[in-house]
Amino acid sequence: MTNSFTTRLLYQHKHTRARVIEVTTPHGKFVGPVFMPVGTRAGVNNLSSTDLQLSQTQIILGGNTYHMLSAPQMQVIENAGGMHNFMAWQGPMLTDSGGFQIFSLSKQGKMCNIDEDGANFYLPGPNQWMHMTPEVSLATQKIIGADIIMAFDECTLDSLDYDAAALVMARTHRWLERSCAYHSLHPSSVYGARQALFGIIQGGVHQKLRRQSAEYVASMATDGIAIGGETIGFDMLATIKIIDWIHDILPQDKARYTMGVGASVQDLLDVVAAGIDMFDCVAPTRNARHGALYCGELKPAGNWLSFESAHPNGRMLIKKACYADDPGPIMESCTCPTCQNYSRSHLHYLFKTKHELFSALASMHNVYVLHDACARMRDLIVKHHA
Ligand SMILES: [Zn+2]
C-alpha cells in the first residue's frame, strides 16, 4: 500500500457541480461523493467493523481528539499502534481536531475558555485541565494516526454578528497557519504513515467573511478543505447558501468536506449537487436507535436526483402498529443485509420489546441507504459527465 495521500478529480457532472473524486490514503482508496459513519468514541454505534464493511462503508470518522484525550487517553491508543488497530478498522479514517467539542462545551457554559494561544478546558476522564493549542491538537491526531486530520479551529455560532464572527475567523486562520507549520515539520503519524491535513472555512452566516475564509484556506498548503460552523448540516438551506457563496473559490483538485451533513438522504443529494465530496453525521445511527428508518426511493429530478418518500422526513417509524404484521422489508429496493433478511414485523417486534438486536439491524439499513445514495450519485455523474 502506498504511503501517500493524493486526490484525483475523475468526473465533473455536466448539469450540476457534483463530482466524482478518487482519494488514495496509506490505508486504501475511497471514491467520493462519500458518506462517513461517525465513531467519535472509537466505535461506530451499533456497527462492528465487519458490519461497516457489509454496509459498503469506505471511510469512517474515528476517534475524535477531545474524546480520546478524555478516555481511553493517548497512551492506550499509542500502545495499540494507533486508532486503526485500536478500533479494528484498517480502511481510510478521518479524525476531528476537538474544535467542535470545545465549542459545544463553551456553548453549554461548561468549563472552557479560549484565547489566542488555544483553549483551556476540563477533561473529565483524567480529571484534569487541558491546554489545547493547534500544535497539541495535531500532535494528538498524529498519535490517533488517522489518514485525514483536521486543523484546530473555533466553530462559529450562528448568532455572532459580523464583527464577532470576523474575530473568530481571523483567529481560526492564525491557528491554521500554525497547524500547517507544524504539519510541514511532521507530515506523518507517529507510526510513519503520511497524513493529510484539512483546513476549515469559518465565517458564520456572513457572505463576505465566508468568501474571505474560503480564499484564505484555499491559499494554504492543505490536502483538503472543510466547511464548518454551527449552521453546517443543522440548517440545510443556510448550508447550501454558504456553499453557493464560496464554490468558485474552492480548488478543483482538493477534496471538499461539509462537517456534520447527513441527517437525511436528501441532504446528501443537495450538498453533492452543490459541489461537496465528503460528509459525516451521527444522525443515521441515532435515528436507527430511535426506530426512525430511512424509507423512500431515489427518483430522477430534472438532471439530478431526489429522495421521494411517503413518510415524514423520509423516515418510517417502525413502532407504528401498522407494521406489527407487515411481512415486507423496510424498503423494497434496498439490498442491505437487514432488508434482505428481516421483515418490518420482526423489526417492529424487536423495537417494541427493546431487543438489543434492533439497533444493529436498523443502523445497518440507515447507513447502507446513505452509501447507496452516494453510489447512485457517482453512477449518474459518470454517466453524464462534462
Ligand atoms: Zn435496507
Side-chain angles (χ1 to χ4, degrees):
M1 226 175 263
T2 169
N3 190 19
S4 63
F5 185 92
T6 55
T7 304
R8 283 203 308 145
L9 173 61
L10 298 184
Y11 298 100
Q12 174 72 57
H13 190 221
K14 200 169 14 175
H15 305 293
T16 69
R17 295 200 293 270
R19 335 147 355 119
V20 172
I21 62 165
E22 182 188 73
V23 178
T24 305
T25 82
H27 290 87
K29 291 183 181 189
F30 65 89
V31 184
V34 64
F35 172 73
M36 299 182 283
V38 178
T40 51
R41 293 177 193 273
V44 177
N45 284 348
N46 318 319
L47 294 171
S48 69
S49 298
T50 309
D51 292 337
L52 286 166
Q53 283 170 342
L54 284 172
S55 78
Q56 312 293 335
T57 295
Q58 301 186 69
I59 171 174
I60 63 165
L61 196 164
N64 177 282
T65 298
Y66 170 80
H67 295 301
M68 294 304 99
L69 282 166
S70 193
Q73 303 179 27
M74 302 320 295
Q75 196 56 54
V76 173
I77 294 166
E78 189 164 1
N79 290 346
M83 187 59 66
H84 288 91
N85 289 348
F86 184 61
M87 63 183 289
W89 172 261
Q90 296 303 335
M93 181 189 294
L94 177 148
T95 188
D96 200 0
S97 66
F100 185 79
Q101 283 69 29
I102 291 161
F103 153 83
S104 299
L105 285 179
S106 59
K107 197 180 164 194
Q108 294 161 29
K110 295 215 176 130
M111 289 183 284
C112 174
N113 57 69
I114 298 169
D115 59 27
E116 178 61 27
D117 193 45
N120 297 294
F121 55 91
Y122 177 74
L123 273 177
N127 188 25
Q128 66 187 35
W129 280 83
M130 169 100 202
H131 182 56
M132 173 73 83
T133 63
E135 294 81 6
V136 170
S137 175
L138 254 66
T140 309
Q141 293 181 79
K142 287 179 184 301
I143 297 172
I144 289 171
D147 302 285
I148 300 173
I149 61 178
M150 304 301 295
F152 189 58
D153 69 324
E154 188 173 346
C155 185
T156 315
L157 279 166
D158 286 353
S159 57
L160 290 192
D161 65 21
Y162 183 91
D163 289 345
L167 288 175
V168 170
M169 179 193 79
R171 184 152 63 196
T172 289
H173 291 174
R174 290 191 292 276
W175 286 358
L176 175 58
E177 206 172 317
R178 287 166 58 183
S179 297
C180 287
Y182 185 92
H183 187 64
S184 70
L185 290 174
H186 311 278
S188 299
S189 71
V190 298
Y191 320 101
R194 168 74 165 81
Q195 291 178 299
L197 174 68
F198 281 25
I200 303 174
I201 295 169
Q202 291 290 345
V205 292
H206 307 281
Q207 182 172 6
K208 192 173 164 194
L209 296 181
R210 282 288 181 179
R211 286 189 64 82
Q212 268 180 30
S213 191
E215 271 163 12
Y216 185 83
V217 175
S219 74
M220 299 300 287
T222 63
D223 302 283
I225 295 187
I227 306 172
E230 186 183 24
T231 217
I232 302 298
F234 179 68
D235 176 344
M236 284 310 296
L237 284 177
T239 299
I240 298 299
K241 191 163 72 176
I242 289 166
I243 301 168
D244 286 346
W245 287 342
I246 62 174
H247 76 90
D248 58 314
I249 300 167
L250 303 176
Q252 290 290 325
D253 58 350
K254 290 185 184 180
R256 304 157 176 183
Y257 164 32
T258 43
M259 306 174 82
V261 168
S264 74
V265 180
Q266 189 62 48
D267 290 356
L268 301 194
L269 300 173
D270 292 342
V271 292
V272 171
I276 299 300
D277 310 304
M278 301 168 64
F279 17 81
D280 73 283
C281 193
V282 294
T285 46
R286 184 191 291 156
N287 284 332
R289 199 166 64 249
H290 293 128
L293 310 177
Y294 298 145
C295 187
E297 227 178 309
L298 280 172
K299 294 235 169 106
N303 293 310
W304 194 232
L305 296 163
S306 77
F307 188 69
E308 296 187 8
S309 173
H311 306 273
N313 302 314
R315 296 173 208 151
M316 159 197 283
L317 301 180
I318 197 71
K319 69 178 177 189
K320 287 187 172 179
C322 59
Y323 304 123
D325 197 19
D326 186 336
I330 303 166
M331 221 169 110
E332 281 294 343
S333 60
C334 185
T335 51
C336 87
T338 301
C339 288
Q340 294 303 296
N341 295 293
Y342 297 86
S343 65
R344 291 174 171 184
S345 64
H346 187 217
L347 291 162
H348 171 89
Y349 160 77
L350 293 175
F351 183 77
K352 294 295 271 187
T353 55
K354 298 188 169 55
H355 199 293
E356 287 176 19
L357 180 58
F358 177 79
S359 290
L361 294 175
S363 295
M364 168 63 76
H365 169 78
N366 276 3
V367 167
Y368 189 98
V369 169
L370 295 189
H371 289 328
D372 190 54
C374 290
R376 290 280 300 278
M377 288 190 276
R378 293 193 296 266
D379 288 347
L380 188 70
I381 298 163
V382 172
K383 195 170 166 195
H384 300 289
H385 67 85

